[in-house]
Amino acid sequence: MRLVLALGNPGAKYRDTRHNIGWWLADRLVRRWCGGPFRAEGPTARAEGSRRPGVEIHKPLTYMNRSGEALTALLAARRFDPAADMLVLVDDVALPPGRLRLRRRGSPGGHNGLASISAKLGSDAYSRLRLGVGRPPDDRIDLAAWVLSRMPRADEEAALSAFPHAVEAVEYWLEHGMEAAMNRFNNR
């Protein structure tokens, strides 16, 4: 089994925020792979696509800061190796909107969702697709408030314009592994 874990926050209040860009991409993947709607299953919402059997897409329903709790439940119920079989979709303020970066491992870099996952796994050895949402234009803007706010239209359009590329990167990871996916997509 392969697992795509899209980080975000549940609820209408957060649906359109920068922090939920991983959920936006998860929705795109489900549509492309002819999947049904996401359905609550324990601490996640789960979907699969008929065009990608053996791949599950999950959205933790535990809020971003507790994403690792949802992963712990998945590990208890399924057989997979997070280092080899899981890809985390996550927002990244270090990348401008429209940019993405694949990584095989790495520190959470201040991202509370990744920190929660790393803490529960006891390791930073899991793949992630970092989706750019940009930095605040002013250092006085609180970073938490920034990621929990909506993007301006131009930034949102730039972020969404990268989704075909991001979908292709996820599919390439599934077929060829992270090293090959990084070599192909991180140089664009």
Side-chain angles (χ1 to χ4, degrees), residues 27-68:
D27 293 341
R28 179 75 60 95
L29 290 168
V30 168
R31 282 192 306 273
R32 177 172 170 92
W33 297 345
C34 301
F38 279 90
R39 298 194 190 282
E41 184 179 282
T44 70
R46 173 179 170 252
E48 293 179 77
S50 61
R51 292 181 54 201
R52 289 286 173 178
V55 179
E56 294 182 6
I57 303 172
H58 289 263
K59 297 176 180 179
L61 300 175
T62 53
Y63 290 96
M64 182 68 76
N65 296 350
R66 296 175 40 216
S67 297

Side-chain angles (χ1 to χ4, degrees), residues 47-103:
E48 293 179 77
S50 61
R51 292 181 54 201
R52 289 286 173 178
V55 179
E56 294 182 6
I57 303 172
H58 289 263
K59 297 176 180 179
L61 300 175
T62 53
Y63 290 96
M64 182 68 76
N65 296 350
R66 296 175 40 216
S67 297
E69 294 174 21
L71 179 57
T72 299
L74 290 171
L75 285 166
R78 289 162 174 74
R79 294 179 54 118
F80 69 97
D81 174 7
D85 301 324
M86 179 176 76
L87 179 65
V88 176
L89 309 179
V90 62
D91 62 289
D92 193 326
V93 298
L95 295 172
R99 296 289 310 270
L100 58 93
R101 181 77 51 201
L102 288 158
R103 290 284 181 246

Side-chain angles (χ1 to χ4, degrees), residues 75-156:
L75 285 166
R78 289 162 174 74
R79 294 179 54 118
F80 69 97
D81 174 7
D85 301 324
M86 179 176 76
L87 179 65
V88 176
L89 309 179
V90 62
D91 62 289
D92 193 326
V93 298
L95 295 172
R99 296 289 310 270
L100 58 93
R101 181 77 51 201
L102 288 158
R103 290 284 181 246
R104 178 192 317 271
R105 63 180 312 130
S107 76
H111 193 287
N112 291 331
L114 292 177
S116 177
I117 290 170
S118 294
K120 292 295 182 182
L121 290 176
S123 172
D124 292 331
Y126 55 90
S127 297
R128 71 262 343 237
L129 174 55
R130 298 167 41 210
L131 304 162
V133 296
R135 288 195 180 282
D138 184 331
D139 289 340
R140 293 174 291 182
I141 296 174
D142 178 65
L143 194 55
W146 175 256
V147 296
L148 293 175
S149 66
R150 291 184 68 140
M151 286 188 241
R153 173 175 242 114
D155 286 355
E156 185 174 326

